[in-house]
Structure formats: C-alpha cells, structure tokens
Amino acid sequence: EIVLTQSPATLSLSPGERATLSCWASQSVGTSLAWYQQKPGQAPRLLIYDASNRATGIPARFSGSGSGTDFSLTISSLEPEDFAVYFCQQRSKWPPEITFGQGTRLEIK
Amino acid sequence: QVQLQESGPGLVKPSETLSLTCTVSGGSVSSGSHYWSWIRQTPGKGLEWIGYIYYTGSSTYNPSLKSRVAISVDTSNNQFSLRVRSVTAADTGVYFCARDAGATSPLNYNGVDVWGQGTTVTVSS
C-alpha cells in the first residue's frame, strides 16, 4: 500500500497570508495525485488533479506542484473561506488502489 | 450537473450486513469515462477508499476490505450499491458515494470530482 504523509498536521495562519501544505508518498506515484478541501459536515471537494491542474471552478489562488514522491498545495493569499481540512490522495495503476493522506487542518491564527 | 445521493439504514447491528445505494442524477452510470466509488470516513482511519465499479460490472476493492465488501451497479435504475458483511464498530463512520474521473492517459489522474453528501452509519446493538 502506498502511504501518504501530510505535513504539518495543523497550520495556523491569518487571512492574506500564504499557505504551503506538503504531501509525501512512500513510493513514486508520478503525477497521479489529487488535493481536496473538506469543511465540517461536508463532503471533500476536488481542488487539484494530476498534481497541478485546478479543478473546475477552483480559484487561481490554489496551486499544486510536485511529482514522484513530493507534492505541495499552495494557497497564495488566504481568504476566510479557505480555513478547512485538506487531504491529498493518490491512485495507483498496479496494484490498483487509492489512498488518502491523514489531512492538514488549516486554522485561523 | 451530476449529483449523487446515498440511501440506506443509519444503524446496523454488529455481525450483520451494511447495505447502501447511491442514486445518480444528471448523468449516467453507463458513462465510459468514470468509476463509481465508495469512500468512507471513520474516526480510526480517516478517509478510506472502499472500492469502485465500472459500468460493465468490473470492480476493484481496497485489499484490506476485499473479503467483506461487494459493489454492484444497476444501469437500468442509474444506481450503484455497497454491501459490507460482518460489520463491527470499526465500520462506523460517514459513507460517501463518489465519481472517480479516472485517467485520460496512462500517467495522469483526474481525481474524484463528484461526491454525495455522505450518510452516517453506526454499528451498534
């Protein structure tokens, strides 16, 4: 099983600041990595697919980068609605499996 | 736009079978571009992929759950379903049905782009 490790577990920042969240894979996943945002009581929402492509309707302040085992999600200037939990997720071809990271909680400082 | 809605009992007794159905609206489970997935969120393991099914009926499961899980698709009713046998308290959580957009080439991945709102399942006697 490919294990995804996210860092930090909690990130405390203020609106307007830049946020950088990290995700490491236990083995290479190429660019088969996605990022999601989840708010309390809601389902996750797809932000980034294929490591660096923004999903439909996602603001330009969200960007993803990386390949292989090291990935990051950057929010260039935090808006109040961005404070939530963020998950990374990989989909491997063989063996076919999907795994999620444990999440980073982005909280208001 | 495509919407997904989970339905099924919110309470299941230990050792019994959990059964959930996902109804797809605004789109078709027969779409050849997507995989229809079940994902759960539990206090113990966070977000956990259970498995997915293609419209042909071909399914793939999380190895850790494979012995207890079955996913089926009903193209005539535009639904897909989940069954988990021999449940324990560790199966308590929120269950999401979702659409996995798969890949458009061997090296890319398009993510899980549509999610149901989730349904809470509690395993308790």
Side-chain angles (χ1 to χ4, degrees), chain A residues 76-92:
Chain A
S76 60
S77 179
L78 287 166
E79 297 287 341
E81 62 268 27
D82 298 337
F83 293 92
V85 180
Y86 292 82
F87 296 94
C88 57
Q89 175 228 357
Q90 68 81 28
R91 185 181 192 255
S92 60

Side-chain angles (χ1 to χ4, degrees), chain A residues 36 38 43-44 50 89 91 93, chain B residues 41 100 106 108-109 112 115-116:
Chain A
Y36 301 84
Q38 188 179 31
D50 209 29
Q89 175 228 357
R91 185 181 192 255
K93 302 291 192 299
Chain B
Q41 191 164 30
D100 188 309
N108 87 320
Y109 176 50
V112 178
W115 296 69

Side-chain angles (χ1 to χ4, degrees), chain A residues 59-76:
Chain A
R61 64 181 182 272
F62 291 90
S63 63
S65 64
S67 66
T69 59
D70 291 1
F71 300 88
S72 63
L73 173 71
T74 299
I75 310 171
S76 60

Side-chain angles (χ1 to χ4, degrees), chain B:
Chain B
Q1 91 228 31
V2 177
Q3 293 185 313
L4 307 179
Q5 179 66 59
E6 306 89 352
S7 59
L11 181 64
V12 182
K13 290 183 168 57
S15 80
E16 295 191 343
T17 297
L18 178 163
S19 295
L20 296 174
T21 295
C22 183
T23 300
V24 179
S25 59
S28 173
V29 291
S30 297
S31 161
S33 304
H34 302 105
Y35 296 81
W36 304 95
S37 303
W38 287 97
I39 295 164
R40 69 182 184 180
Q41 191 164 30
T42 65
K45 291 198 170 185
L47 282 169
E48 182 177 32
W49 170 69
I50 299 171
Y52 55 62
I53 193 164
Y54 198 51
Y55 78 99
T56 57
S58 173
S59 56
T60 302
Y61 302 115
N62 185 325
S64 69
L65 298 169
K66 187 175 182 178
S67 63
R68 298 194 294 127
V69 168
I71 298 176
S72 58
V73 64
D74 180 353
T75 55
S76 60
N77 288 308
N78 220 25
Q79 297 176 328
F80 59 106
S81 298
L82 170 71
R83 290 171 60 87
V84 182
R85 297 186 298 105
S86 305
V87 297
T88 69
D91 295 307
T92 292
V94 179
Y95 285 72
F96 298 99
C97 61
R99 186 181 81 172
D100 188 309
T104 46
S105 75
L107 297 179
N108 87 320
Y109 176 50
N110 296 322
V112 178
D113 61 348
V114 181
W115 296 69
Q117 66 185 25
T119 187
T120 299
V121 177
T122 302
V123 178
S124 175
S125 56

